[in-house]
Amino acid sequence: MKPSSIAEPRSLQQWLPDIVFGFENLTSHKLRSLLTMLGMIFGVAAVVAMLSIGAGAQQKVMAFIEQLGVRNLIVEAKESHNWQELQKVRKNSPGLTLSDYQIIRKNVSDIKDGTPRKRFTPGKLLPKPQQDTPIVYGVEPSYLEISHLRVTEGRFFDGSENEAAAPVCVLGAAAKDSLFGAAAAIGEYIKINEQWCHVIGIVAPQLAPQTEVSGVRTEDMNNLVYAPLNAVLYRLEDSQSFLKDEIDGLYLHLASPETSTTDAEVVRGILNSSHHNAGDFNVIVPAELLAQQKRTEQLFNTVMVAIASISLLVGGIGIMNIMLAAILERTREIGVRRAVGARRWDIIRQFVIEAVLISFAGVSTHCVARWMVHHCDNQLNSSGIRGFHFGGVDIRHLSGGQGCAARSR
């Protein structure tokens, strides 16, 4: 065979008979062609599904880290849960205190704003929660901007209410549903331990981590009750407060994210000095977590593509085996074509066309199926159900914050 015979340009009219003949050969063996296409269908589906699931999970974590704020520093206290642990820690450290917060604010000039935090789970709560008991967060009004909260109903408490330790509170989305269901909550009262609190606002839903993210608490960020810090310290402290630090968290809002790493080292140095290297706190830098998560995502995607590509390779091997079997079955046809003048390249081109048609049909079938799933998802979204994505990343839930009420019915 001359090399020039392979390189000869062919027009569409010359390719069309070969394509039609290849299509006829495939349709004459429907079952064999279908089984061969399944290799490509499931191969492409495996690649898309694995990348979708991996990307969805990674994006969820990255979205939560971004929610923490790349310009924030978060200090979390490692609290003792029994008297023996507390005694061991208190020999070296007084725990996280309001004095620590004030010293940090005076010595770190890059801090634009901040708030201490006192959290606890109330022993008694009225109305009785329908699900998990909400956690109480005692914070200052600046927490609203630092944590990017959005008030959907009512308002957030202000500085005067914090100074007066006013018995007011703002509910998270899940806490509102758990305590009041579909009923209005603004203007109502809830009883936290022995203190009645006036509900003045409700915040929009937030992302919550499904697994621990480098020291960040794995708690439902929607099942929270926000109250003024002074009200929590002086009105709502529970019977186990003597086992805990004066405060258990600090949120520090920086002027620029570029200084977050150096400022974090300064904060660690201040706390290590006052706590005598007791190691009873964690300093969380969301900007570092975000950069680390992006590097992890790149590595994860590379591994996922390599694993999923094996499915495509298996599909290609399946097509190769079927085409080899087809060649052995059609030796008489090949001999007749060679006898009437067909060249070797003509025979090779015919089988290559059939292999391409099988691959194209398999990929097209997968794309049509994926379009149908996407179309159904759009229809569900337009009817008020959202959160279902191809690849099984998210689950459906009713919009408008009525999920709990719908489940209770």
Side-chain angles (χ1 to χ4, degrees):
M1 179 180 59
K2 297 179 181 180
S4 59
S5 64
I6 298 179
E8 289 179 359
R10 294 174 60 85
S11 64
L12 178 61
Q13 292 181 348
Q14 291 175 309
W15 280 102
L16 193 58
D18 293 334
I19 295 174
V20 173
F21 184 61
F23 184 76
E24 290 176 352
N25 285 333
L26 296 179
T27 54
S28 62
H29 301 86
K30 296 182 179 63
L31 180 60
R32 185 178 68 186
S33 301
L34 176 62
L35 294 176
T36 307
M37 283 191 297
L38 287 179
M40 296 307 299
I41 293 173
F42 286 107
V44 175
V47 173
V48 174
M50 293 184 73
L51 290 178
S52 298
I53 294 172
Q58 294 291 325
Q59 287 175 3
K60 215 168 185 180
V61 175
M62 292 181 65
F64 173 73
I65 295 175
E66 290 176 349
Q67 178 182 278
L68 295 177
V70 294
R71 293 171 58 185
N72 293 342
L73 293 180
I74 302 173
V75 181
E76 290 280 357
K78 296 179 181 178
E79 296 181 347
S80 303
H81 299 286
N82 56 63
W83 181 249
Q84 288 75 18
E85 289 183 14
L86 181 65
Q87 283 185 316
K88 184 182 296 185
V89 172
R90 288 296 177 264
K91 289 179 180 179
N92 298 316
S93 169
L96 203 59
T97 64
L98 290 172
S99 297
D100 290 330
Y101 172 69
Q102 294 166 359
I103 293 172
I104 290 172
R105 288 297 303 267
K106 290 179 181 178
N107 289 274
V108 183
S109 59
D110 293 326
I111 296 178
K112 182 180 178 182
D113 207 348
T115 174
R117 184 201 68 205
K118 178 69 174 179
R119 67 185 291 278
F120 73 94
T121 302
K124 293 184 294 184
L125 191 63
L126 290 177
K128 186 177 181 181
Q130 299 301 311
Q131 298 180 3
D132 294 337
T133 301
I135 297 173
V136 178
Y137 265 31
V139 291
E140 294 181 351
S142 56
Y143 183 84
L144 177 67
E145 180 181 353
I146 293 173
S147 293
H148 309 291
L149 294 181
R150 183 171 59 89
V151 178
T152 56
E153 297 181 45
R155 63 179 179 85
F156 208 73
F157 48 83
D158 55 28
S160 62
E161 289 170 322
N162 182 52
E163 290 294 329
V168 296
C169 65
V170 178
L171 303 181
K176 183 267 178 186
D177 288 338
S178 180
L179 294 173
F180 294 98
I186 302 297
E188 299 294 331
Y189 286 83
I190 63 174
K191 189 176 184 181
I192 302 174
N193 290 339
E194 303 301 327
Q195 176 67 53
W196 287 99
C197 293
H198 186 209
V199 179
I200 61 173
I202 298 172
V203 298
Q206 292 183 282
L207 293 173
Q210 302 300 318
T211 57
E212 185 174 351
V213 181
S214 299
V216 181
R217 296 180 183 273
T218 56
E219 60 191 11
D220 187 356
M221 300 302 295
N222 296 310
N223 197 28
L224 298 177
V225 176
Y226 302 97
L229 176 64
N230 288 334
V232 171
L233 291 176
Y234 302 123
R235 292 178 181 269
L236 303 176
E237 277 194 304
D238 61 343
S239 59
Q240 298 298 316
S241 292
F242 72 94
L243 290 177
K244 302 179 181 179
D245 297 7
E246 182 181 5
I247 55 177
D248 53 38
L250 299 176
Y251 294 90
L252 308 173
H253 188 59
L254 305 178
S256 173
E258 282 77 15
T259 61
S260 59
T261 302
T262 55
D263 290 337
E265 291 301 321
V266 175
V267 171
R268 287 190 185 98
I270 293 173
L271 292 178
N272 281 328
S273 177
S274 61
H275 292 215
H276 302 95
N277 295 313
D280 57 345
F281 65 89
N282 286 323
V283 178
I284 301 167
V285 187
E288 291 182 354
L289 295 181
L290 187 61
Q292 179 183 357
Q293 191 65 31
K294 288 181 178 179
R295 292 192 295 268
T296 303
E297 182 184 19
Q298 293 176 351
L299 177 61
F300 183 79
N301 287 339
T302 302
V303 174
M304 293 291 282
V305 169
I307 294 174
S309 298
I310 297 176
S311 298
L312 286 178
L313 178 62
V314 172
I317 292 174
I319 292 177
M320 180 181 67
N321 290 336
I322 294 298
M323 298 312 298
L324 179 60
I327 291 174
L328 296 178
E329 290 178 0
R330 296 162 61 182
T331 51
R332 295 183 62 184
E333 174 191 335
I334 295 172
V336 171
R337 294 187 64 183
R338 290 299 299 268
V340 297
R343 296 166 299 179
R344 182 180 180 184
W345 171 243
D346 295 327
I347 305 300
I348 294 175
R349 183 178 64 246
Q350 185 60 53
F351 285 100
V352 170
I353 289 174
E354 292 182 16
V356 171
L357 286 175
I358 290 178
S359 301
F360 180 77
V363 173
S364 300
T365 303
H366 167 76
C367 292
V368 170
R370 188 167 183 265
W371 177 85
M372 292 176 63
V373 172
H374 181 69
H375 181 70
C376 292
D377 183 29
N378 290 338
Q379 293 295 323
L380 292 174
N381 289 340
S382 62
S383 63
I385 301 177
R386 63 188 179 187
F388 174 77
H389 297 283
F390 181 77
V393 176
D394 295 325
I395 60 173
R396 304 175 195 174
H397 57 278
L398 296 178
S399 63
Q402 303 298 325
C404 294
R407 284 192 293 271
S408 64
R409 289 196 293 268

